[in-house]
């Protein structure tokens, strides 16, 4: 049966500002889904009722609005993978507004930068792991870990480094399929390039790899460090508290000391042998990913091979 195309599928990639204002009810507070360092995310509703998310970038973000806009559009507009959030459009449009400047009203060109994505009904991994009363079952958590790794393998295969992996950057659809979002800090590497350096270190304090935090070194291993923290948080259900420490040193130490095979059996006492083996392997992989020496961290391909070897089915 042929489905009627949705408004979303027929939209151009560049969307008019007035259209996005209408879809978000003039950026109403009631439509706010979240607020971050780079902007405010709104729920947009299309004329046919379909939902999208609209991120309105702020001018004074840590990296600069234009750079964030360019990163997201350049690095994820063409990405199509089941574990990467789908961008459906963008807007970079100036409007004349009357503003107060040094005690006088003047007419100025104000540019608005907006990014539009598919709407994911279950929200962030952060919310589902740490902000709801019902604890996620292990099968769901393991599926999420594998999905994040699949998405990151795809991102790395096209020479993009995400640079901001954390539970807030992983969104879940109605079937709890994870999708990597928030590419505002991402970097595109050249074909032969494996790492680069920067003087401008930005990111989420408790998830930044130490070689990036202290020396400005960027590589795919930077993402692996953040991924390791994601795997450890998802497996243990315990929160890395980024405000307390750089690179999650105490959180990693706590997992390494406390999540012994005996503790895993105690925490998952109602689970079968396959489940216990999966949990144990995820803890091992997570701790390998957060090695201080980036050369000792596994590649994303190695991680996937080990995770997939634990699958009891070919899902």
């Amino acid at each position: 049966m042929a489905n009627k195309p949705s408004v979303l599928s027929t939209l151009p990639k560049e969307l008019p500002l007035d259209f996005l204002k209408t879809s978000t009810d003039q950026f109403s507070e009631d439509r706010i889904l979240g607020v971050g360092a780079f902007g405010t995310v709104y729920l947009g509703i299309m004329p046919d009722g379909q939902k999208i998310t609209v991120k309105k970038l702020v001018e004074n973000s840590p990296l600069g609005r234009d750079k964030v806009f360019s990163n997201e559009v350049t690095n994820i507009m063409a990405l199509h993978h089941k574990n990467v959030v789908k961008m459906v459009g963008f807007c970079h449009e100036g409007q004349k507004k009357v503003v107060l400047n040094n005690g006088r009203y003047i007419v100025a060109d104000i540019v608005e930068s907006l990014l539009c994505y598919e709407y994911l009904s279950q929200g962030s991994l952060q919310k589902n792991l740490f902000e709801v009363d019902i604890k996620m079952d292990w099968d769901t958590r393991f599926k999420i870990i594998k999905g994040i790794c699949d998405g990151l393998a795809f991102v790395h295969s096209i020479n993009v480094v995400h640079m901001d992996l954390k539970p807030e950057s992983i969104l879940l659809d109605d079937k709890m399929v994870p999708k990597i979002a928030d590419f505002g800090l991402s970097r595109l590497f050249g074909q032969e390039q494996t790492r680069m350096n920067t003087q401008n270190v930005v990111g989420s304090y408790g998830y930044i790899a130490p070689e990036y935090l202290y020396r400005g070194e960027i590589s795919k291993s930077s993402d692996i460090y953040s991924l390791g923290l994601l795997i450890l948080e998802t497996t243990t259900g315990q929160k890395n508290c980024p405000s307390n420490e750089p690179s999650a040193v105490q959180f990693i130490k706590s997992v390494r000391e406390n999540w012994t095979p005996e503790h895993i059996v105690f925490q998952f006492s109602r689970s079968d042998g396959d489940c216990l083996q999966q949990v144990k392997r995820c803890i091992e992989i997570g701790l390998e990913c957060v090695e201080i020496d980036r050369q000792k961290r596994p590649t994303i391909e190695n991680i996937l091979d080990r995770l997939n070897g634990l699958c009891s089915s070919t899902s």
Side-chain angles (χ1 to χ4, degrees), residues 236-252:
T236 65
Q238 294 172 349
K239 180 79 181 101
N240 162 28
C241 296
S243 59
N244 296 348
E245 50 182 350
S247 304
V249 176
Q250 290 303 316
F251 173 71
I252 294 164

Side-chain angles (χ1 to χ4, degrees), residues 261-273 275-276 279:
E262 294 77 21
H263 184 71
I264 290 170
V265 171
F266 175 74
Q267 287 292 326
F268 292 85
S269 56
R270 295 184 180 180
S271 303
D272 61 21
C275 166
L276 294 174
V279 174

Side-chain angles (χ1 to χ4, degrees), residues 124-142:
S124 70
L125 179 60
Q126 162 78 17
K127 184 190 90 171
N128 285 271
L129 273 180
F130 306 119
E131 297 170 15
V132 295
D133 295 330
I134 302 170
K135 191 175 178 181
M136 234 189 289
D137 64 82
W138 173 249
D139 284 348
T140 301
R141 283 192 265 171
F142 189 52

Side-chain angles (χ1 to χ4, degrees), residues 75-288:
N75 291 349
I76 82 160
M77 178 65 86
L79 299 191
H80 294 289
H81 187 276
K82 67 182 187 301
N83 297 117
V84 176
V85 71
K86 181 182 176 185
M87 179 180 279
V88 296
F90 61 90
C91 173
H92 192 66
E93 187 175 313
Q95 290 194 329
K96 293 194 180 298
K97 288 186 178 180
V98 177
V99 296
L100 190 61
N101 181 47
N102 293 328
R104 296 179 58 194
Y105 285 100
I106 61 169
V107 177
D109 283 316
I110 306 296
V111 175
E112 297 282 14
S113 296
L114 302 105
L115 299 160
C116 307
Y117 306 93
E118 61 180 322
Y119 173 72
L120 297 165
S121 61
Q122 295 302 310
S124 70
L125 179 60
Q126 162 78 17
K127 184 190 90 171
N128 285 271
L129 273 180
F130 306 119
E131 297 170 15
V132 295
D133 295 330
I134 302 170
K135 191 175 178 181
M136 234 189 289
D137 64 82
W138 173 249
D139 284 348
T140 301
R141 283 192 265 171
F142 189 52
K143 182 175 86 169
I144 287 170
I145 289 170
K146 285 171 52 189
I148 295 169
C149 292
D150 274 330
L152 187 61
F154 172 73
V155 170
H156 282 184
S157 75
I158 57 169
N159 293 315
V160 170
V161 179
H162 185 278
M163 299 303 299
D164 200 22
L165 288 174
K166 56 186 177 181
E168 294 93 330
S169 302
I170 306 299
L171 302 178
L172 302 168
D173 70 8
D174 55 356
K175 294 179 180 173
M176 300 300 277
V177 173
K179 294 174 187 273
I180 299 173
D182 295 339
F183 282 75
L185 299 181
S186 61
R187 305 294 183 100
L188 180 64
F189 279 67
Q191 284 293 316
E192 303 304 319
Q193 196 173 11
T194 57
R195 66 190 177 110
M196 63 172 76
N197 286 71
T198 179
Q199 300 296 315
N200 184 24
V201 175
V202 290
S204 301
Y205 191 57
Y207 294 87
I208 299 175
E211 71 275 6
Y212 176 48
L213 183 64
Y214 298 114
R215 299 192 298 276
E217 291 180 8
I218 299 168
S219 69
K220 291 176 182 178
S221 293
S222 315
D223 278 350
I224 297 297
Y225 192 94
S226 307
L227 174 68
L229 291 169
L230 263 176
I231 291 172
L232 293 176
E233 286 184 290
T234 306
T235 303
T236 65
Q238 294 172 349
K239 180 79 181 101
N240 162 28
C241 296
S243 59
N244 296 348
E245 50 182 350
S247 304
V249 176
Q250 290 303 316
F251 173 71
I252 294 164
K253 183 183 177 190
S254 171
V255 173
R256 187 171 275 123
E257 290 176 353
N258 296 325
W259 280 78
T260 61
E262 294 77 21
H263 184 71
I264 290 170
V265 171
F266 175 74
Q267 287 292 326
F268 292 85
S269 56
R270 295 184 180 180
S271 303
D272 61 21
D274 282 351
C275 166
L276 294 174
Q277 195 61 27
Q278 289 169 358
V279 174
K280 183 170 179 287
R281 189 61 59 90
C282 285
I283 296 287
E284 288 173 357
I285 291 170
L287 290 174
E288 287 176 29

